Amino acid sequence: MTVMTKPDHTTARATVSAPALSPATTAKPDLISVEQAKAMDVARMTDLFKAHLNPGQLHFMKLLGFHKIKIERAEGMFYIDQSGRKILDFFGGFGSLAFGHNHPRLLEARKKFQEEKRQEIAIAFMSQYAAALAHNLAKCSPGDLDMVFLGSSGSEAMEAAVKLAERAAGPKRPKVVYAENSFHGKTKGVLAITDGSLYRADFKVADNVVRIPFADIEAVERAFRSDPEIGVIVLETIQGGGGIIQASVEYWQKLRALCDQYGVLWVADEVQCGYGRSGRFYAFEHYGVIPDVTALAKSLGGGKAAVGAMIARRSIYMKAYGTPKTAMIHAMATFGGMGEACVTSIEALNVLYDEGLIDNATVTGDYLLQRLQALKEKYPKIIKDVRGKGLMVGLEFHDFSQTLPMVLRPVVSVLDEKLKGSLSGFVGALLLRDYDVLVAFTEYNRNVIRLEPPLICQREHVNRFVEALDSLLSRGIVSIVKDFVKSQVR
């Protein structure tokens, strides 16, 4: 290769001679094969994670002990690691695993799709699989929620939902209301309505937004009354990142009435709380109301495919994109409605009803809440609150100082804000290390452990989890801290 540089340093620019037009071969880089990836040990995984993925994230994985584990396979309610240890999954991928790991009906549907070599990407042609999935989602949705946009993630579904609502509201009403401690995604558009300084960082986000407290209907009414430019309100029906926070029946019914009164479009974010997790297909169905637009993702792909969906009232959709001139403003992207992903989602919806998993979320979720409430009564100085609906449950610990002996509280209380999340982290790490149980955490209230096990969860799994937590808490806070510190120096 010949490299030449112009002599004029003020405008110097490197030039590279063109390669031969017909090279004999293209050299293959030093690539890892599928079988080599499968056989990779933890040390090699760690090296590659630091080199090419997220070095900073490894710090937190080490704190929790996750960095020592290589998952070899997963089935039903369990991960299985490199030593054959079965880890009970009460994390559930933030609600992405309604059917557990590798449900046999989903595997069979995908296998048949592949064996028959059916079409995967159908942008030029209509897809029978995308059409069928859209039909099924409309059938699962109440009222006239029947127009569907298919994407690949919750963020993409919410982007589509907010864009649709903003267009339908019109240019004279561009403002969007969102709630404190909300989480609607990390992509640039919905970042403006995701209430987290960590995720927003120093990005420049859209400024046509209005922030109000969650579950405060008077704040909603004040905002609507005072600002005629508000055209959209976006709310999680149950706040996940906020710590599994709910609003009352009266709140949602009054919200629907206020939206109708002021002509504001309501977007219900059901990405995490929807799809049967709350004990109804949509969490808003508990309150006898229907939004104008909603969004699903997480378990929509059956834990095997990345699928998100926006579902809107037909009148709203047609107002935004209902003419040939406007139809392509927000049409499906390249990977929206992919064949195998749609087939997986079609089969998953059928499994959801065939196996009674929505009803199981209610029954098993109630049992989980009862068992945890009993633990709260047993450990009132440790557990502050237990709350949730269906199999979306939050377990909140007291601030760290309040869990300690009385003599230590005044000294430690000044550090409570800095120590937020430490106890939930200690408990999560020790549940995994000593009891083979995996749990999740929350973005905003870090004192909360988030429990979103698969909807196939049974009483036996609840009993195992609660007994493990009981055994751990019985050690006492001082011993828990000591055990965690020991785990960090080994």
Side-chain angles (χ1 to χ4, degrees):
M1 182 182 294
T2 303
V3 179
M4 299 177 292
T5 304
K6 293 182 180 180
D8 182 1
H9 295 292
T10 59
T11 58
R13 186 169 55 181
T15 60
V16 181
S17 60
L21 293 178
S22 301
T25 59
T26 298
K28 182 180 180 179
D30 183 16
L31 303 179
I32 296 171
S33 70
V34 172
E35 286 304 312
Q36 288 171 330
K38 179 184 176 183
M40 193 179 294
D41 61 21
V42 171
R44 177 68 168 149
M45 289 165 59
T46 302
D47 288 342
L48 295 181
F49 194 94
K50 286 193 294 185
H52 305 297
L53 285 171
N54 193 329
Q57 186 179 353
L58 193 62
H59 165 76
F60 299 103
M61 298 178 78
K62 287 181 176 179
L63 281 177
L64 295 168
F66 292 2
H67 69 299
K68 301 175 182 178
I69 295 171
K70 177 190 175 185
I71 298 301
E72 294 286 1
R73 60 190 184 90
E75 184 175 356
M77 287 290 298
F78 297 93
Y79 288 101
I80 297 93
D81 76 358
Q82 67 268 38
S83 63
R85 179 172 63 142
K86 295 180 71 174
I87 299 169
L88 179 63
D89 186 5
F90 261 60
F91 167 35
F94 292 123
S96 299
L97 291 160
F99 307 96
H101 299 272
N102 291 307
H103 191 287
R105 277 182 57 177
L106 303 185
L107 294 181
E108 183 58 32
R110 292 168 68 85
K111 180 182 177 183
K112 189 173 182 181
F113 183 94
Q114 294 162 13
E115 288 175 346
E116 295 178 359
K117 298 181 180 178
R118 298 182 226 165
Q119 82 277 12
E120 188 66 89
I121 296 177
I123 299 173
F125 309 101
M126 289 185 291
S127 165
Q128 61 267 53
Y129 308 114
L133 177 56
H135 167 273
N136 287 357
L137 286 170
K139 286 294 184 181
C140 293
S141 303
D144 56 351
L145 288 168
D146 57 7
M147 296 299 291
V148 177
F149 168 90
L150 296 174
S152 304
S153 69
S155 291
E156 188 181 359
M158 283 303 299
E159 292 276 2
V162 175
K163 285 180 70 177
L164 174 83
E166 187 176 330
R167 258 194 73 79
K172 293 183 178 179
R173 307 190 69 177
K175 292 188 178 179
V176 179
V177 174
Y178 72 101
E180 293 175 0
N181 294 329
S182 61
F183 183 89
H184 298 292
K186 298 178 186 176
T187 49
K188 195 73 183 312
V190 290
L191 199 57
I193 54 172
T194 289
D195 187 37
S197 58
L198 172 66
Y199 303 120
R200 286 192 177 192
D202 54 359
F203 295 111
K204 175 65 178 175
V205 297
D207 57 6
N208 61 323
V209 294
V210 178
R211 179 175 180 263
I212 62 170
F214 182 70
D216 184 341
I217 199 63
E218 292 180 358
V220 174
E221 187 164 14
R222 283 195 302 271
F224 288 3
R225 187 173 58 246
S226 64
D227 193 343
E229 290 192 347
I230 290 173
V232 180
I233 184 168
V234 184
L235 299 167
E236 295 162 274
T237 313
I238 300 173
Q239 286 194 328
I244 317 299
I245 305 298
Q246 302 175 68
S248 66
V249 174
E250 293 75 20
Y251 173 85
W252 294 111
Q253 293 182 348
K254 180 66 173 175
L255 175 73
R256 179 69 271 177
L258 285 172
C259 286
D260 292 340
Q261 179 184 343
Y262 287 93
V264 175
L265 299 178
W266 167 27
V267 177
D269 184 343
E270 293 260 340
V271 166
Q272 190 170 151
C273 62
Y275 204 81
R277 181 151 294 279
S278 73
R280 300 291 295 270
F281 188 79
Y282 294 105
F284 60 71
E285 292 183 89
H286 288 284
Y287 311 114
V289 290
I290 302 173
D292 299 294
V293 187
T294 189
L296 293 169
K298 301 296 185 186
S299 288
L300 183 56
K304 299 300 296 181
V307 185
M310 175 209 73
I311 307 96
R313 293 176 183 265
R314 185 176 187 83
S315 60
I316 303 298
Y317 183 93
M318 295 302 288
K319 189 175 181 180
Y321 306 129
T323 68
K325 185 178 180 180
T326 60
M328 302 304 291
I329 290 174
H330 198 89
M332 282 193 297
T334 306
F335 299 116
M338 288 182 70
E340 189 172 335
C342 286
V343 164
T344 308
S345 293
I346 290 167
E347 185 69 356
L349 280 168
N350 279 279
V351 171
L352 186 70
Y353 288 95
D354 290 346
E355 297 190 359
L357 298 184
I358 298 176
D359 295 335
N360 186 63
T362 297
V363 174
T364 306
D366 286 347
Y367 181 64
L368 174 60
L369 286 166
Q370 291 169 14
R371 293 294 314 269
L372 291 175
Q373 187 62 40
L375 276 193
K376 178 179 178 291
E377 294 170 4
K378 185 175 181 179
Y379 302 103
K381 294 181 180 179
I382 300 176
I383 299 176
K384 180 180 180 180
D385 193 24
V386 172
R387 54 182 178 267
K389 193 178 288 292
L391 285 172
M392 187 173 182
V393 174
L395 177 70
E396 183 175 1
F397 295 112
H398 285 288
D399 282 338
F400 199 78
S401 67
Q402 300 305 303
T403 68
L404 297 173
M406 189 68 71
V407 67
L408 296 176
R409 290 183 188 179
V411 178
V412 179
S413 62
V414 297
L415 298 173
D416 274 338
E417 192 57 36
K418 290 184 177 181
L419 291 172
K420 271 194 184 300
S422 55
L423 182 54
S424 58
F426 298 162
V427 169
L430 294 176
L431 279 173
L432 178 61
R433 190 194 74 178
D434 297 344
Y435 300 94
D436 303 336
V437 173
L438 180 66
V439 297
F441 310 98
T442 57
E443 286 91 344
Y444 302 123
N445 185 347
R446 299 189 304 278
N447 284 344
V448 177
I449 281 181
R450 186 175 355 186
L451 306 172
E452 296 182 20
L455 304 190
I456 63 171
C457 183
Q458 300 296 313
R459 283 193 170 211
E460 64 192 81
H461 304 120
V462 172
N463 289 338
R464 176 176 163 181
F465 164 70
V466 174
E467 287 162 11
L469 182 59
D470 187 7
S471 174
L472 177 57
L473 296 182
S474 71
R475 301 180 190 179
I477 294 301
V478 174
S479 291
I480 288 173
V481 174
K482 287 181 178 178
D483 290 343
F484 176 80
V485 172
K486 287 179 183 177
S487 72
Q488 296 300 301
V489 297
R490 287 177 184 173

